[in-house]
Amino acid sequence: MKTSNYFTAPIYYVNDSPHIGHVFSTLLADIGARTALLEGHEKFLLTGTDEHSAKVIESAQARGMPVEAWAQRNADAFRQTFKYFNIDFDDFIRTSEPRHESSVRARIEQLMATGDVYLGEYSGWYDAGQEEYVSEAKAKQYDFKSPFNKKPLVQRTEKNYFFRLSRYQDVLLALLENGEFKIHPASRTAEVVARVRDGLSDIPISRHSSESWGITVPGNASHVVYVWVDALFNYLTVIDTDERRHLWPATLQVVGKDILWFHAVIWPAMLLALKQIEGNQWLELPRNILAHGFWIREGEKMSKSMGNFVGISDLQRYCNDFGVDGTRFFLASAGPVGASDADFAHTRFIESYNANLANTVGNCFNRVVGMINLYFEGVVPPKAANTTSFAEEILQLSLSTREKGRAFQYDKMIASALSIFRSIDQYVNLTEPYILIKQPENLEQVGNILHDCLEALRQGALALWPVMPTSMAELLQSLGCLTEGELPSYDFGRPVTGGYRIKETRVMFPRYQEAQ
Ligand code: MSP
């Protein structure tokens, strides 16, 4: 059955230009959305920019620019970056848009009506860089310094609107424990559960502000909605229309481990609060949250002060040498998809490219197509009458690849897809069509072997399509299994057919030799 699937990436602060971390979060969401397409479902992918942050005002001021112009410039940079990386987003939200402002205000009003948002006073330790309050216990544990930028935490007292987070502790805990609300990888669920068990206090969700940058609290224009609460509502703003409401609940919300708390606790609690209101019954919790790890660079943590971020221009250099697809492949296959961090090291990139793309995917394709050209003048030989054990093995690998994709384990999905190509190579080595062909009476047998190999190549190309959409579509097209502009599909795709003349392609993934 065709289902609707809503994938979200975080929305990014526009205080600076994008870097690898932003591309990575968004790429994972794109791979998820494309995996759903491949399974024959409908997908909707959202990303955008988070603009009402104090950091944005500060960085605009530092450049002597009006905040709107600075935000606009960076929002454009994010949008272009995601286009460049072939991220197929269906909408791009900027939190400074009027549609978002009215959506946030309406939701806050609803929460005021239920008493889930109330006026109170707050004193506590504040991490200005992260724009978040830190509990007394945590502040002590961090030695009163931000765990993120090591700057001192500051004591703040404010009259604030609060969200009654404490009210949702038990429900949330139950939903996390019974698996109705899932956080991946599983180790992250345990982490969140442990923290929720420690107890949830109500949280301030507004700040007193003379700035006009931000969304004002309904009924009190001297307060703006806390940037995190403003930001979380973006996921609803975009789909709260008659045409799109069916997309909720989100299939998968991709976030980095640093912002998991907001997505695994505050966000679902706000949804639980909203859902009690007449007309809001559709506001279920998102089905899944994926919290990925962090990229480090050549063994070092990336930071502003070190000035060692892998920026977009760095990534573009890799794209020039290895293609956007080659770069997407490295990020997704060698990146911090699960709980651990991962190193963006130049040698790792080259090794992974040569081993997986040049020697496995590219080589396998060239080898099989090369034999078709030599022995069959480029025309696909007919399919054998019987299914071979090799075809059966490929089918199993393809099924297990799909399973990994549906479990949001994209690194494992890629590893499993690569094993399809490896199996083809092994099968060729084992059956030796290049030796068999020396006896003319073996022509039919060789044809059968190569037909199976081509069909296996198609399965491999489908499996890697979410990660490398351009080159895998090219590969499928050259085999006659996809027409231009058509979407690939696992179940309704066109198998390789005898008699089809294979189209020439560019050399896919040539081996990379480092210049001395
Ligand atoms: N605006 C908030 C998110 C609001 S979502 C409702 C925010 N923005 S951000 O610009 O700081 O970017 C956050 C995303 O970038 C997170 O998913 C974060 O994990 C990711 N990354 C930032 N640095 C990263 C690495 N070094 N490695 C991988 N991803 C990291 O937080």
Side-chain angles (χ1 to χ4, degrees), residues 352-484:
S352 155
Y353 173 85
N354 278 339
N356 299 314
L357 296 187
N359 296 354
T360 305
V361 179
N363 183 57
C364 183
F365 180 74
N366 296 336
R367 192 180 187 199
V368 173
V369 170
M371 285 190 278
I372 301 278
N373 286 336
L374 263 177
Y375 315 149
F376 297 94
E377 291 169 347
V379 176
V380 178
K383 185 172 158 52
N386 304 324
T387 308
T388 57
S389 59
F390 169 66
E392 188 52 38
E393 177 191 332
I394 296 295
L395 179 68
Q396 290 310 321
L397 286 176
S398 162
L399 289 176
S400 109
T401 307
R402 291 172 70 167
E403 224 165 78
K404 308 272 175 352
R406 287 194 291 255
F408 317 110
Q409 298 173 337
Y410 301 122
D411 47 353
K412 297 204 174 84
M413 173 180 92
I414 296 171
S416 169
L418 287 173
S419 65
I420 296 180
F421 290 91
R422 281 201 204 94
S423 288
I424 301 174
D425 249 352
Q426 279 164 11
Y427 184 60
V428 170
N429 294 345
L430 193 81
T431 53
E432 302 181 314
Y434 38 87
I435 293 183
L436 288 176
I437 196 70
K438 291 180 180 155
Q439 314 291 313
E441 67 271 22
N442 290 338
L443 190 67
E444 191 184 329
Q445 193 191 350
V446 171
N448 288 344
I449 294 172
L450 293 182
H451 186 105
D452 273 358
C453 288
L454 286 174
E455 179 53 23
L457 275 179
R458 177 178 84 98
Q459 294 296 337
L462 285 173
L464 285 179
W465 178 80
V467 183
M468 301 193 287
T470 308
S471 43
M472 293 304 106
E474 235 174 273
L475 206 154
L476 290 166
Q477 283 171 26
S478 80
L479 300 181
C481 302
L482 193 73
T483 53
E484 215 168 318

Side-chain angles (χ1 to χ4, degrees), residues 10-13 19-22 24-25 50 55 78 228 231-232 234-235 254-259 263 292-296 302 309 336:
I11 53 171
Y12 304 100
Y13 290 131
H19 60 65
I20 186 174
H22 308 131
F24 184 66
S25 292
D50 185 358
K55 287 192 246 196
F78 275 97
W228 260 105
L232 288 167
N234 91 85
Y235 303 126
V254 176
V255 300
K257 63 179 180 182
D258 54 329
I259 60 174
H263 287 84
H292 64 73
F294 261 42
W295 281 101
I296 59 170
M302 293 188 288
F309 269 103

Side-chain angles (χ1 to χ4, degrees), residues 111-112 115-120 160-164 202-203:
L111 292 173
M112 283 173 159
D116 282 294
V117 164
Y118 63 92
L119 191 62
N160 282 122
Y161 288 88
F162 281 74
F163 171 58
R164 220 177 277 285
D202 294 352
I203 52 161

